[in-house]
Amino acid sequence: MQHDQELSAAACQGDEEAFYTLVSGMKRKLFGIAYSYLGSETDALEAVQEAICRAWMKCGKLKDPAAFHAWLIRILIHCCIDEQKRRKRTLPLNSDTRDERVAVMVSDSRLDLQQAMQRLKPKYRHVLMLKYYQDMTLAEIARVLGKPEGTVKTWLHQGLKQLRGKMDEGGELYHG
Protein backbone atom coordinates (compact mmCIF):
# COMPACT_ATOMS: atom_id res chain seq x y z
CA MET A 1 0.00 0.00 0.00
CA GLN A 2 2.82 2.38 0.91
CA HIS A 3 4.50 1.51 -2.39
CA ASP A 4 1.32 2.40 -4.30
CA GLN A 5 1.12 5.75 -2.51
CA GLU A 6 4.71 6.52 -3.47
CA LEU A 7 4.03 5.48 -7.06
CA SER A 8 0.85 7.59 -7.10
CA ALA A 9 2.70 10.64 -5.83
CA ALA A 10 5.46 10.15 -8.42
CA ALA A 11 2.93 9.58 -11.23
CA CYS A 12 1.09 12.76 -10.30
CA GLN A 13 4.37 14.64 -10.56
CA GLY A 14 4.83 13.42 -14.15
CA ASP A 15 6.77 10.15 -13.68
CA GLU A 16 5.64 8.06 -16.66
CA GLU A 17 7.16 4.85 -15.36
CA ALA A 18 5.35 5.17 -12.01
CA PHE A 19 2.09 5.88 -13.85
CA TYR A 20 2.62 2.84 -16.10
CA THR A 21 3.37 0.62 -13.09
CA LEU A 22 0.19 1.74 -11.30
CA VAL A 23 -2.01 1.31 -14.34
CA SER A 24 -0.48 -2.06 -15.23
CA GLY A 25 -1.38 -3.37 -11.80
CA MET A 26 -4.99 -2.34 -12.33
CA LYS A 27 -5.52 -3.40 -15.95
CA ARG A 28 -7.54 -6.57 -15.22
CA LYS A 29 -9.81 -4.77 -12.78
CA LEU A 30 -10.26 -1.83 -15.17
CA PHE A 31 -11.12 -4.13 -18.05
CA GLY A 32 -13.59 -6.08 -15.88
CA ILE A 33 -15.38 -2.91 -14.85
CA ALA A 34 -15.55 -1.59 -18.41
CA TYR A 35 -16.76 -4.94 -19.73
CA SER A 36 -19.49 -5.14 -17.09
CA TYR A 37 -20.75 -1.72 -18.23
CA LEU A 38 -20.38 -2.15 -21.98
CA GLY A 39 -20.66 -5.90 -22.64
CA SER A 40 -18.20 -5.74 -25.52
CA GLU A 41 -14.51 -6.57 -25.38
CA THR A 42 -13.62 -3.97 -28.01
CA ASP A 43 -15.65 -1.21 -26.37
CA ALA A 44 -14.26 -2.14 -22.95
CA LEU A 45 -10.67 -1.92 -24.22
CA GLU A 46 -11.38 1.45 -25.82
CA ALA A 47 -12.97 2.76 -22.60
CA VAL A 48 -9.96 1.62 -20.56
CA GLN A 49 -7.61 3.27 -23.03
CA GLU A 50 -9.62 6.51 -22.92
CA ALA A 51 -9.71 6.48 -19.11
CA ILE A 52 -5.96 5.95 -18.88
CA CYS A 53 -5.37 8.77 -21.34
CA ARG A 54 -7.64 11.13 -19.39
CA ALA A 55 -5.98 10.11 -16.13
CA TRP A 56 -2.50 10.79 -17.50
CA MET A 57 -3.54 14.23 -18.73
CA LYS A 58 -5.16 15.19 -15.40
CA CYS A 59 -2.94 13.30 -12.97
CA GLY A 60 -1.06 16.44 -11.98
CA LYS A 61 -4.32 17.93 -10.68
CA LEU A 62 -5.11 15.01 -8.36
CA LYS A 63 -5.12 16.50 -4.85
CA ASP A 64 -4.76 13.19 -2.98
CA PRO A 65 -2.40 10.76 -4.75
CA ALA A 66 -3.44 8.06 -2.23
CA ALA A 67 -6.86 8.08 -3.93
CA PHE A 68 -5.35 7.26 -7.35
CA HIS A 69 -7.05 3.85 -7.75
CA ALA A 70 -10.53 5.10 -6.86
CA TRP A 71 -9.99 8.21 -9.00
CA LEU A 72 -8.99 6.14 -12.06
CA ILE A 73 -11.99 3.82 -11.62
CA ARG A 74 -14.27 6.86 -11.40
CA ILE A 75 -12.79 8.19 -14.67
CA LEU A 76 -13.35 4.77 -16.27
CA ILE A 77 -16.99 4.70 -15.16
CA HIS A 78 -17.50 8.13 -16.73
CA CYS A 79 -15.91 6.89 -19.97
CA CYS A 80 -18.29 3.91 -19.97
CA ILE A 81 -21.28 6.16 -19.37
CA ASP A 82 -20.15 8.40 -22.24
CA GLU A 83 -19.95 5.35 -24.51
CA GLN A 84 -23.42 4.19 -23.44
CA LYS A 85 -24.82 7.65 -24.24
CA ARG A 86 -23.06 7.63 -27.60
CA ARG A 87 -24.60 4.24 -28.38
CA LYS A 88 -28.09 5.53 -27.60
CA ARG A 89 -27.61 8.48 -29.95
CA THR A 90 -26.17 6.45 -32.83
CA LEU A 91 -28.03 3.15 -32.52
CA PRO A 92 -31.72 3.82 -31.94
CA LEU A 93 -33.71 0.62 -31.64
CA ASN A 94 -36.62 0.21 -33.98
CA SER A 95 -39.58 -1.80 -32.73
CA ASP A 96 -38.67 -4.92 -34.77
CA THR A 97 -35.22 -5.13 -33.17
CA ARG A 98 -36.63 -4.58 -29.70
CA ASP A 99 -39.13 -7.43 -30.20
CA GLU A 100 -36.32 -9.78 -31.25
CA ARG A 101 -34.30 -8.79 -28.16
CA VAL A 102 -37.29 -9.47 -25.91
CA ALA A 103 -37.77 -12.92 -27.46
CA VAL A 104 -34.13 -13.77 -26.81
CA MET A 105 -34.35 -12.51 -23.23
CA VAL A 106 -37.22 -14.83 -22.43
CA SER A 107 -34.86 -17.77 -22.90
CA ASP A 108 -31.81 -16.22 -21.23
CA SER A 109 -32.09 -15.04 -17.64
CA ARG A 110 -28.66 -13.39 -17.82
CA LEU A 111 -29.90 -11.05 -20.53
CA ASP A 112 -33.01 -10.38 -18.42
CA LEU A 113 -30.72 -9.34 -15.58
CA GLN A 114 -28.66 -7.09 -17.87
CA GLN A 115 -31.78 -5.38 -19.19
CA ALA A 116 -33.14 -4.92 -15.67
CA MET A 117 -29.79 -3.45 -14.58
CA GLN A 118 -29.91 -0.96 -17.45
CA ARG A 119 -33.35 0.22 -16.29
CA LEU A 120 -32.07 1.08 -12.79
CA LYS A 121 -31.12 4.59 -11.79
CA PRO A 122 -27.38 5.05 -12.50
CA LYS A 123 -26.43 5.46 -8.83
CA TYR A 124 -27.95 2.07 -7.99
CA ARG A 125 -26.53 0.42 -11.11
CA HIS A 126 -23.00 1.66 -10.30
CA VAL A 127 -23.12 0.29 -6.76
CA LEU A 128 -24.53 -3.08 -7.85
CA MET A 129 -22.00 -3.47 -10.67
CA LEU A 130 -19.04 -2.62 -8.48
CA LYS A 131 -20.28 -4.82 -5.62
CA TYR A 132 -21.38 -7.92 -7.52
CA TYR A 133 -19.49 -7.79 -10.80
CA GLN A 134 -16.20 -6.51 -9.34
CA ASP A 135 -16.50 -7.87 -5.78
CA MET A 136 -15.58 -4.50 -4.25
CA THR A 137 -16.29 -3.77 -0.59
CA LEU A 138 -18.72 -1.02 0.40
CA ALA A 139 -15.77 1.07 1.62
CA GLU A 140 -14.03 0.72 -1.76
CA ILE A 141 -17.22 1.61 -3.61
CA ALA A 142 -17.69 4.65 -1.37
CA ARG A 143 -14.15 5.80 -2.23
CA VAL A 144 -14.68 5.25 -5.97
CA LEU A 145 -18.00 7.08 -6.04
CA GLY A 146 -16.91 9.76 -3.59
CA LYS A 147 -19.92 9.12 -1.35
CA PRO A 148 -20.28 8.22 2.34
CA GLU A 149 -20.36 4.50 3.09
CA GLY A 150 -23.87 4.82 4.57
CA THR A 151 -25.13 6.28 1.28
CA VAL A 152 -23.57 3.39 -0.64
CA LYS A 153 -25.27 0.88 1.70
CA THR A 154 -28.61 2.60 1.13
CA TRP A 155 -28.10 2.63 -2.65
CA LEU A 156 -27.15 -1.06 -2.59
CA HIS A 157 -30.31 -1.93 -0.63
CA GLN A 158 -32.54 0.24 -2.85
CA GLY A 159 -30.86 -1.02 -6.01
CA LEU A 160 -31.44 -4.66 -5.05
CA LYS A 161 -35.06 -3.88 -4.17
CA GLN A 162 -35.63 -2.16 -7.53
CA LEU A 163 -33.78 -4.91 -9.39
CA ARG A 164 -36.04 -7.55 -7.85
CA GLY A 165 -39.06 -5.47 -8.85
CA LYS A 166 -37.82 -5.04 -12.41
CA MET A 167 -37.04 -8.75 -12.75
CA ASP A 168 -40.55 -9.62 -11.53
CA GLU A 169 -41.97 -6.94 -13.82
CA GLY A 170 -39.96 -8.38 -16.73
CA GLY A 171 -41.18 -11.87 -16.02
CA GLU A 172 -44.80 -10.72 -16.10
CA LEU A 173 -44.17 -8.71 -19.25
CA TYR A 174 -42.54 -11.56 -21.13
CA HIS A 175 -44.80 -14.36 -19.93
CA GLY A 176 -48.12 -12.50 -19.60
Side-chain angles (χ1 to χ4, degrees):
M1 199 63 161
Q2 179 65 27
H3 181 66
D4 277 358
Q5 288 180 352
E6 291 170 7
L7 284 173
S8 297
C12 291
Q13 293 174 353
D15 184 335
E16 289 181 40
E17 195 168 315
F19 184 84
Y20 176 78
T21 302
L22 279 171
V23 170
S24 293
M26 295 178 66
K27 64 184 175 184
R28 291 184 85 108
K29 183 174 211 150
L30 294 172
F31 176 78
I33 291 168
Y35 189 82
S36 68
Y37 273 84
L38 301 172
S40 157
E41 186 176 337
T42 305
D43 290 343
L45 289 170
E46 284 182 25
V48 169
Q49 185 176 10
E50 176 66 22
I52 291 169
C53 183
R54 287 183 192 180
W56 174 249
M57 292 186 315
K58 296 183 187 247
C59 194
K61 296 177 182 175
L62 182 61
K63 292 176 183 144
D64 180 12
F68 183 87
H69 288 257
W71 175 73
L72 181 54
I73 291 170
R74 194 173 318 127
I75 291 172
L76 177 62
I77 290 170
H78 287 289
C79 289
C80 292
I81 292 168
D82 291 347
E83 174 60 20
Q84 289 172 332
K85 287 177 183 173
R86 187 194 63 76
R87 283 180 182 175
K88 284 182 181 176
R89 284 193 310 267
T90 59
L91 299 172
L93 290 175
N94 62 31
S95 59
D96 296 337
T97 306
R98 176 166 262 147
D99 290 343
E100 290 172 24
R101 286 181 58 204
V102 169
V104 170
M105 285 182 214
V106 169
S107 63
D108 192 347
S109 61
R110 185 174 179 164
L111 290 175
D112 286 340
L113 176 62
Q114 288 175 344
Q115 184 184 33
M117 287 283 287
Q118 289 305 314
R119 293 191 329 235
L120 291 176
K121 288 183 178 180
K123 62 185 180 184
Y124 301 145
R125 185 171 57 244
H126 298 319
V127 171
L128 290 171
M129 289 179 113
L130 294 173
K131 174 74 175 151
Y132 295 109
Y133 286 77
Q134 299 306 314
D135 201 28
M136 293 174 89
T137 66
L138 293 176
E140 290 171 327
I141 296 168
R143 251 190 328 275
V144 166
L145 298 179
K147 300 291 181 190
E149 198 170 332
T151 300
V152 171
K153 284 180 185 178
T154 300
W155 289 357
L156 177 63
H157 175 72
Q158 289 298 317
L160 287 171
K161 185 177 174 182
Q162 284 189 15
L163 189 60
R164 283 186 202 105
K166 292 192 184 305
M167 291 296 289
D168 290 342
E169 194 179 285
E172 292 171 14
L173 177 68
Y174 302 137
H175 302 298

